[in-house]
Amino acid sequence: MKLSPDIDTYILYSQQGKYIVKYFKSPDAIVRMSRTKRLLTAIKSVRPDFPCIVPEMLYETAGESIYVEEYVDGILMGKADFSEAKMMAVCSWITGYMRDLRELGCFGYAPDGFRWRRFLSDFAERRFAAVMELGLWGASVFREFFAYIRESVSILSEPERLCIVHNDLNPDGNILVDLSKGLKVHVIDYEKWILGDCVKDISKMIWYFRRHKKFGDCFIDMYSEAVCVPDMRTVKLYFALDILNHFSEYRKLITQEGWNIYFQQELEIIQEIWKDDFNLW
């Protein structure tokens, strides 16, 4: 199974059970997985019941590493055909998970002087530069989009509290639903976690809500009750930053199944998202 150009994933069957084996072959991927293991180990030490699986390192050198983690059964949320009642139950579980993640705080990962707005500003500028360096689209295509992101980040308020953000809470890839024993939800692949605003995790679910609009409204209501009331202008900014990041990694992502369709849709979105009347779903 190919997750990305720098990660190969395999399923291992043994007498003890079924496992996922991940082979990392780039320095960035190796560092990400190492810090992920440290984070999840720390979380499990204070919340043994928290829904995450701590990966175990089998082998590591300067150029490659191999990790193994328990396999979890389930259907990808984004590919499942659930009844409305079950989907509402899944959405309720996810908002509870987001609440718990927010309450865990930052686990000492916040360096002195860390500012979320500055982090986003630096991130956006690096991604702007990467997109332009690709030279695949004219600057005019992104002009209003870039201007909108810069302006929105410049006026963004600092979050009330910093917390661990999963940062890839994608129903099409990292949220699994197991219906074999009632209803059980699993969140996997924490490798892209960051420190920041808890609301950022909503942005990765927007593609799902664009396909299932009524669940988007219900989810926001549940989130407002369980976690905090999100400013939808901020949610839109975070979605725009995700899209910007995708374009900056175009050459890597376009080789993966389905991404050509996403990029076609995102090219349309960047022409509209900066407008006041743009609807996320």
Side-chain angles (χ1 to χ4, degrees), residues 28 31 70 93 99 101 106 115 131-132 150 154 158 166-167 197 204 219 223 227 236 238 252 271:
D28 288 345
V31 169
E70 179 185 349
W93 186 95
R99 176 200 60 222
L101 194 58
C106 61
R115 293 292 182 269
V131 170
M132 290 296 95
R150 285 187 172 117
S154 72
E158 291 292 323
H166 182 285
N167 201 36
D197 179 7
K204 295 293 185 178
F219 179 87
Y223 186 94
V227 187
K236 184 171 80 166
Y238 294 161
K252 180 174 72 173
Q271 308 301 314

Side-chain angles (χ1 to χ4, degrees), residues 2-15:
K2 178 73 73 172
L3 296 180
S4 75
D6 56 3
I7 304 173
D8 290 334
T9 304
Y10 308 91
I11 297 177
L12 173 67
Y13 297 87
S14 73
Q15 292 182 340

Side-chain angles (χ1 to χ4, degrees), residues 86-136:
K86 285 182 178 177
M87 186 50 64
M88 295 297 288
V90 172
C91 288
S92 177
W93 186 95
I94 294 171
T95 57
Y97 162 83
M98 289 179 165
R99 176 200 60 222
D100 293 346
L101 194 58
R102 180 176 187 260
E103 290 177 352
L104 284 172
C106 61
F107 271 88
Y109 280 97
D112 291 341
F114 178 86
R115 293 292 182 269
W116 174 238
R117 187 171 67 185
R118 184 188 308 152
F119 171 85
L120 291 183
S121 178
D122 292 345
F123 172 85
E125 293 302 328
R126 291 195 305 271
R127 296 313 182 188
F128 289 154
V131 170
M132 290 296 95
E133 186 176 343
L134 284 172
L136 298 177

